Amino acid sequence: MANTLLKVTGLKVSYGGIKAVKGIDLEVREGELVTLIGSNGAGKTTTMKAITGMLLAEAGEIVYHGQPIRGVGSWDLVKRGLAMVPEGRGVFTRMTIVENLLMGAYVRTDKAEIQRDIERMFALFPRLKERKDQLAGTMSGGEQQMLAMARALMSRPRLLLLDEPSMGLSPIMVDKIFEVVRDVHAQGMTILLVEQNARRALQVADRGYVMDSGEIIMHGEAKAMLDDPKVRAAYLGEAAAAA
């Protein structure tokens, strides 16, 4: 069995008096693609922000690569190989595509390798190469999502966190994004994917966790979860089988 790269134990996060995450456990092993699914407001994004130091957890342990990281800032986590593509993309709208990619490599000093990685990103996302000198703010939502993913990959992460990468995209662009997620994982990238499109997420994942009202209510192999009647009824938009 592969080594555990990320282990979250008893994580609790609150907004004011509202308990958003209520003591959850999850883990991601080296080389896995693990998905965290659930309805809007379940606590998925809050969990990701706590893992990446964007929100302060009130309780619990977050261990990455054998080291506790609860309370460690996002800047230091990127240097340690943990990068997140946030919900809403967050590209630098007044910078060009190339400038955004260079920002993704800000923790690196290997200039020749950075240039090679830019070419790798252009091979992975040909549309970005076509528009390399275009301002990011003038791109479509799908193109911005590609750029946000490419920018995160420029840091050469050991663990990539993707928060709702398909949100608000056309069906064709959703297909492209999941194709890239599958390709990047096939190349050996460890990924934690938060996604409302439960079916697509489970189709590409090795394992899945279902989150509801701040708690993990189910977890297991992704393929088995795709076939689970409860998951199908609650999260895949299918009517439960008649009794």
Side-chain angles (χ1 to χ4, degrees), residues 163-176:
D163 191 5
E164 303 283 10
S166 77
M167 182 178 284
L169 302 185
S170 68
I172 289 174
M173 197 56 77
V174 169
D175 287 344
K176 175 60 180 173

Side-chain angles (χ1 to χ4, degrees), residues 112-130:
E113 287 296 313
I114 289 170
Q115 288 303 317
R116 273 194 277 272
D117 280 352
I118 286 176
E119 292 306 318
R120 281 183 54 235
M121 293 307 109
F122 285 161
L124 195 59
F125 302 97
R127 197 170 300 196
L128 297 185
K129 185 171 186 177
E130 295 167 12

Side-chain angles (χ1 to χ4, degrees), residues 199-220:
R199 180 187 303 281
R200 297 300 296 266
L202 290 170
Q203 285 171 342
V204 298
D206 299 306
R207 290 188 304 112
Y209 291 84
V210 178
M211 196 168 190
D212 186 45
S213 301
E215 298 178 303
I216 300 291
I217 59 169
M218 184 186 302
H219 65 90

